[in-house]
Amino acid sequence: MNDKIGIFDSGLGGLSILKELLSILPNEDYLFYEDSINNPYGEKSDDELFEITSNIVEYLLKNNCKIIVIACNTATTSCMKKLKEKYKNTIFVGTVPAIKIAYDNDYKDTLVLATNYTINSKRVSELINTYNNHSQKITLASGKNLANLIDEGDNKKINDLLLEILSPYQNADSLILGCTHYSLIKNEIQKVLPNTVLLDGCIGVAKEVKNQLVNNNLLNKSESKGKIVIENNKSKDLIDRSYDILNN
Ligand code: DGL
């Protein structure tokens, strides 16, 4: 029976979406697949990403997932359309930088912090073209190897890199966390840009998952807490750290 919510990311970043899911859908069962061996996705080509993500989708489907959450902006902007075409009967929910939220709130000077792949993607230009009302400035900045450092848990290197990347943007009124990994280091980002509002699309993704489950009559009717399984193809340590992050 297809009973779980399948989630994947190139590493720990997807935890930021899993956290939001648990707060609104606590009774569901989850299988979160962390593809740390292939981190960083942000430096890969479309073909590589499509092959990697197809393999993960097959794995999640084999493990009875009823919906698949692409908890990664890079994989979504690169592969979501093609995955939907390839797996026609599967429900996918993806993650894209929260550009709409910036426009809806009328921010005037928005920085999008995302992976190299995402900031150069066609999908992000489409989002900007769709929502830009020309009175808002939007700047794209690459987080370079931040996602990698976050998986490694190297706080000194994370803080040094944040200073290097973000210091020139003290006047930004808003910053879009355009990579799910970055939502895990909101406090560190806020320290470098204390006057900037951080915009996070993870809550919206979780709400969309709930809508899809409701609309397709797939909600788990159980009244007890669901089971959470986290797998990581690189190390057991990363699994332990993931449960720690989830529980704190
Ligand atoms: N967490 C991913 C995202 O949201 C990507 C990190 C990576 O480059 O692997 O874009």
Side-chain angles (χ1 to χ4, degrees), residues 9-10 13-14 38-43 71-75 115 118 147 178-181:
D9 181 32
S10 63
N38 287 308
N39 182 306
Y41 280 4
E43 300 299 325
C72 172
N73 295 262
T74 309
T115 65
T118 303
C179 166
T180 50
H181 277 76

Side-chain angles (χ1 to χ4, degrees), residues 143-146 149 157-165:
K144 301 184 180 170
N145 63 334
L146 253 185
L149 298 178
K157 283 191 186 160
I158 290 171
N159 287 326
D160 287 350
L161 186 57
L162 284 176
L163 265 179
E164 178 196 315
I165 298 171

Side-chain angles (χ1 to χ4, degrees), residues 7-8 31-34 52-65 68 87 229 231-232:
I7 307 172
F8 73 90
L31 171 56
F32 174 32
Y33 186 85
E34 299 176 340
I52 289 169
T53 55
S54 294
N55 288 336
I56 299 174
V57 168
E58 303 217 351
Y59 177 73
L60 293 175
L61 292 177
K62 246 185 237 149
N63 280 279
N64 303 327
C65 291
I68 292 184
Y87 303 95
V229 174
E231 293 183 10
N232 187 296

